[in-house]
Amino acid sequence: QVQLLESGGGLVQAGGSLRLSCAASTHTYDIHTFESYAAGWFRQAPGKEREFVAGINWNGDSTFHADAVKGRFTISRDNAKNMVYLQMSSLKPEDTAVYYCAARPFRATTVDPYMEYHYWGQGTQVTVSS
């Protein structure tokens, strides 16, 4: 089991940048360390369904970004610090949403954007003004 805590959200003008962070904590009795987890970022705007934003495999060698954010957002991770990041640049008002970090014990060389995640953070609000 892993607990996830997002931070870094806020209010930014269109064209600006933000970096979201996700701190993961596992219990000492867990058989999985965070290195065993695939991770992802999702977002949910008011009145819309939650959507996949980006995913990263267990060691960071493989990433996948949704078309809506490709070239503007970058997911990364630091397993030594149990952290996952989402660097967001060239932000648009339509990026306004609550952003969630997610994880699942899964070791693979690629990222499946349709994979079901088991653990979720509580989210951090990102608001982009025009």
Side-chain angles (χ1 to χ4, degrees):
Q1 184 174 352
V2 63
Q3 293 182 324
L4 304 170
L5 181 63
E6 304 95 336
S7 62
L11 174 64
V12 63
Q13 289 188 333
S17 298
L18 278 177
R19 187 197 197 200
L20 304 185
S21 298
C22 174
S25 59
T26 57
H27 296 287
T28 55
Y29 54 79
D30 286 344
I31 61 173
H32 298 291
T33 64
F34 189 60
E35 283 188 354
S36 299
Y37 285 78
W41 286 95
F42 290 74
R43 67 186 181 185
Q44 187 167 20
K48 295 187 177 181
E49 293 187 353
R50 185 172 60 196
E51 65 174 354
F52 172 84
V53 174
I56 189 165
N57 75 330
W58 67 279
N59 64 357
D61 283 352
S62 181
T63 61
F64 189 100
H65 297 80
D67 288 343
V69 306
K70 197 170 295 182
R72 300 187 299 122
F73 292 10
T74 302
I75 188 171
S76 62
R77 68 189 294 163
D78 184 342
N79 284 343
K81 297 181 179 179
N82 283 6
M83 297 291 294
V84 181
Y85 306 100
L86 185 68
Q87 179 67 48
M88 306 185 295
S89 60
S90 301
L91 283 160
K92 306 175 182 179
E94 51 263 44
D95 294 319
T96 295
V98 177
Y99 284 72
Y100 298 90
C101 179
R104 169 182 170 169
F106 189 70
R107 282 198 171 199
T109 57
T110 59
V111 175
D112 179 0
Y114 302 104
M115 182 175 69
E116 181 179 348
Y117 288 84
H118 295 175
Y119 303 102
W120 295 83
Q122 294 191 338
T124 185
Q125 175 71 46
V126 172
T127 303
V128 184
S129 63
S130 56

